[in-house]
Amino acid sequence: DPCRNFHCKRGKVCHVDKQGKPSCICQDPASCPSTKDYERVCGTDNKTYDGTCQLFGTKCQLEGTKMGRQLHLDYMGSCKYIPHCTDYEVDQFPLRMRDWLKNILMQYYERDLDTSGFLTEKQRNKVSNPFQVKKIYQNDKRLVAGDHAVELLLHDFEKNYHMYVYPVHWEFHQLDQHPVDRVLTHSELAPLRASLVPMEHCITRFFQECDGDQDKLIALKEWCHCFGIKE
């Protein structure tokens, strides 16, 4: 099968011509496999698609057009009303996000302790620096997970600043994968953004404002600056 090891980007599928040569053509959205309700996604055109296959197939068919360039995955789930993000809310956002990232790392570490080998060695090295995470985990001054007031989150960041530096860097490098080049593109941010938009309506504005030079890329320096990490 000429298509066996022939890879196409999202929205395209392998097609074999009469000479037996494989090439990538746009996925027909109508031929996408059926999906469950929870697999629906919302595009940046504010239209609900029956899964990412249909969304990226549609984007491919619009390739070369303004609509095609502007169409991206906005968030997981059917399109719904997303409240406007106020200046006050966007200022609060990095406080909660920093705390959330720190707690995710702690969960990974705890799970690995409980199951002794929840993560393989390769996963453990990719997920975190065990020494850094262990230091945060064992610190008795650590603010444990909870729905904390903004004032407490701000106070903890100022008092225990060192506990937040690594989680912020870790998340950047988790996202910086295609390629690993110390800048985040729209598609690299998508896994984080798309899952959080329905719960954190300020995440889109936050990342837009995080792009200080407006080049549609978030460099490591810009990312750290947005989260209050010192140079």
Side-chain angles (χ1 to χ4, degrees):
D1 179 3
C3 281
R4 188 175 223 170
N5 294 311
F6 195 82
H7 297 289
C8 297
K9 69 176 186 177
R10 293 184 88 168
K12 295 194 174 189
V13 289
C14 182
H15 171 74
V16 181
D17 64 17
K18 290 177 182 175
Q19 285 75 43
K21 286 187 176 180
S23 64
C24 293
I25 62 168
C26 287
Q27 167 84 53
D28 176 8
S31 69
C32 287
S34 58
T35 56
K36 304 279 193 296
D37 287 351
Y38 60 81
E39 293 175 304
R40 287 180 181 157
V41 296
C42 184
T44 45
D45 56 354
N46 203 33
K47 181 180 170 186
T48 298
Y49 292 85
D50 290 334
T52 52
C53 172
Q54 197 181 87
L55 169 67
F56 288 106
T58 302
K59 179 177 172 63
C60 182
Q61 291 189 333
L62 293 168
E63 208 167 90
T65 68
K66 186 179 179 182
M67 280 180 68
R69 286 191 295 274
Q70 292 177 342
L71 180 59
H72 299 285
L73 169 65
D74 199 8
Y75 53 89
M76 310 306 287
S78 300
C79 294
K80 61 181 184 178
Y81 171 71
I82 302 293
H84 173 71
C85 175
T86 66
D87 292 348
Y88 176 68
E89 288 173 322
V90 82
D91 286 344
Q92 285 185 1
F93 180 80
L95 299 176
R96 291 197 308 277
M97 186 77 170
R98 282 189 305 242
D99 189 55
W100 183 67
L101 292 175
K102 182 191 68 182
N103 289 323
I104 283 178
L105 274 174
M106 294 306 99
Q107 283 181 1
Y108 273 127
Y109 187 80
E110 274 184 332
R111 235 184 282 179
D112 205 33
L113 285 177
D114 292 343
T115 55
S116 65
F118 169 75
L119 302 174
T120 64
E121 194 63 40
K122 188 177 179 182
Q123 285 173 323
R124 191 181 292 110
N125 290 336
K126 185 184 176 188
V127 159
S128 61
N129 176 327
F131 177 68
Q132 289 277 9
V133 180
K134 187 177 181 180
K135 272 204 314 188
I136 301 170
Y137 183 78
Q138 292 181 337
N139 195 316
D140 56 5
K141 293 179 181 175
R142 174 169 62 92
L143 186 65
V144 295
D147 189 15
H148 303 298
V150 171
E151 293 76 21
L152 180 56
L153 292 174
L154 184 58
H155 173 73
D156 191 62
F157 178 63
E158 291 170 351
K159 188 179 173 187
N160 298 309
Y161 169 81
H162 62 283
M163 290 192 204
Y164 293 91
V165 178
Y166 183 74
V168 169
H169 279 83
W170 168 75
E171 180 61 22
F172 183 92
H173 292 290
Q174 287 289 97
L175 297 168
D176 182 25
Q177 298 293 329
H178 309 290
V180 178
D181 55 3
R182 294 170 74 88
V183 292
L184 299 180
T185 61
H186 187 283
S187 59
E188 285 177 316
L189 276 171
L192 179 67
R193 254 198 82 261
S195 58
L196 288 182
V197 168
M199 296 173 285
E200 289 284 359
H201 65 283
C202 281
I203 194 167
T204 300
R205 181 178 164 186
F206 175 74
F207 285 136
Q208 285 171 346
E209 294 182 4
C210 199
D211 179 16
D213 56 11
Q214 296 296 296
D215 64 351
K216 301 198 184 314
L217 299 169
I218 297 180
L220 177 60
K221 196 171 182 179
E222 289 175 320
W223 174 272
C224 289
H225 176 72
C226 289
F227 285 104
I229 304 300
K230 300 164 193 167
E231 285 197 32

